[in-house]
C-alpha cells in the first residue's frame, strides 16, 4: 500500500507541475491563472492528496519569478487551503478555501516586490483565479467524475490506509 500511495502522490505532483509549467505564461506572476489548481479539490475527496498537490505546487514554484517567496508563501497557501478543504464536509464550501486563503500568496508577492501598493489588487485577482479554477471548474468537473464508478472507486474515494 505504501508504494501505491507514493506513486499516486508522485503522479499528482507531476501533473500539477507539468500543467503549470506548460502554461507558464498564465501560471506565474501577480496576475495568474493556474489551471493545475483544479487538482485542489482532490483534498476534499481524500486528505492524502494534500501531499501530492502541495508537492506539485512547490516544484512548480521553483520556476516562479518570485523565487523563495513563492516557494514559501505559495506552497504554504496550498497546504493550508487543502488542509482546511479536507476538513469540510460540503464540497461547495470546501472549494472556497483556496480563495479564502489567497491573502497568503498576496503577502508573498508583496514581500517579493518590496511594495504594498498592489497587495489588495493582487490578492483579489488571485482570489478570483482560485474561485474560477476550484469552485467554478473543478467542482462541476469532479461531480461528473463522481458518476463514473471506476473514478469514484479507484481515484476519489480509494482508502489509503
Amino acid at each position: 500500500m505504501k508504494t501505491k500511495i507514493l506513486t499516486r502522490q508522485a503522479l499528482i505532483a507531476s501533473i500539477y507541475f507539468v500543467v503549470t509549467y506548460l502554461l507558464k505564461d498564465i501560471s506565474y506572476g501577480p496576475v495568474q491563472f493556474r489551471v493545475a489548481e483544479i487538482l485542489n479539490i482532490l483534498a476534499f475527496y481524500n486528505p492524502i492528496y494534500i501531499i501530492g498537490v502541495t508537492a506539485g505546487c512547490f516544484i512548480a514554484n521553483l520556476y516562479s519569478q518570485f523565487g523563495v517567496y513563492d516557494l514559501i508563501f505559495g506552497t504554504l497557501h496550498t497546504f493550508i487551503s487543502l488542509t482546511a478543504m479536507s476538513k469540510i464536509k460540503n464540497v461547495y464550501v470546501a472549494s472556497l478555501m483556496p480563495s479564502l486563503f489567497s491573502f497568503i500568496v498576496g503577502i508573498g508577492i508583496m514581500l517579493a516586490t518590496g511594495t504594498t501598493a498592489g497587495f489588495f489588487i493582487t490578492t483579489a485577482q488571485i482570489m478570483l483565479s482560485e474561485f474560477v479554477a476550484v469552485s467554478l471548474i473543478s467542482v462541476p468537473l469532479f461531480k461528473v467524475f463522481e458518476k463514473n464508478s471506476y473514478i469514484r472507486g479507484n481515484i476519489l474515494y480509494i482508502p489509503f490506509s
Side-chain angles (χ1 to χ4, degrees), residues 77-141:
H77 164 262
T78 298
F79 180 75
I80 291 171
S81 298
L82 299 186
T83 300
M85 184 183 283
S86 73
K87 298 185 182 318
I88 297 171
K89 300 299 179 204
N90 181 299
V91 71
Y92 300 103
V93 175
S95 74
L96 297 173
M97 294 304 106
S99 293
L100 179 67
F101 291 104
S102 290
F103 70 90
I104 298 170
V105 177
I107 291 169
I109 292 173
M110 179 183 70
L111 292 172
T113 59
T115 179
T116 60
F119 172 76
F120 291 108
I121 293 171
T122 299
T123 299
Q125 187 281 324
I126 293 168
M127 288 176 110
L128 178 62
S129 166
E130 292 286 356
F131 179 74
V132 171
V134 183
S135 298
L136 298 183
I137 297 173
S138 189
V139 171
L141 180 65

Side-chain angles (χ1 to χ4, degrees), residues 5-120:
I5 292 169
L6 184 60
T7 303
R8 187 117 356 146
Q9 299 313 317
L11 181 62
I12 294 299
S14 299
I15 291 168
Y16 188 103
F17 166 71
V18 168
V19 170
T20 302
Y21 188 76
L22 289 176
L23 299 172
K24 62 184 167 209
D25 292 341
I26 63 170
S27 296
Y28 298 102
V31 177
Q32 61 179 260
F33 183 80
R34 283 198 182 181
V35 175
E37 290 291 292
I38 291 169
L39 295 173
N40 285 354
I41 204 70
L42 287 169
F44 170 79
Y45 291 99
N46 195 326
I48 197 74
Y49 285 119
I50 295 169
I51 298 164
V53 177
T54 302
C57 177
F58 178 83
I59 296 165
N61 287 343
L62 288 170
Y63 295 87
S64 170
Q65 71 265 33
F66 296 120
V68 71
Y69 294 101
D70 213 2
L71 282 174
I72 294 168
F73 290 92
T75 306
L76 182 64
H77 164 262
T78 298
F79 180 75
I80 291 171
S81 298
L82 299 186
T83 300
M85 184 183 283
S86 73
K87 298 185 182 318
I88 297 171
K89 300 299 179 204
N90 181 299
V91 71
Y92 300 103
V93 175
S95 74
L96 297 173
M97 294 304 106
S99 293
L100 179 67
F101 291 104
S102 290
F103 70 90
I104 298 170
V105 177
I107 291 169
I109 292 173
M110 179 183 70
L111 292 172
T113 59
T115 179
T116 60
F119 172 76
F120 291 108

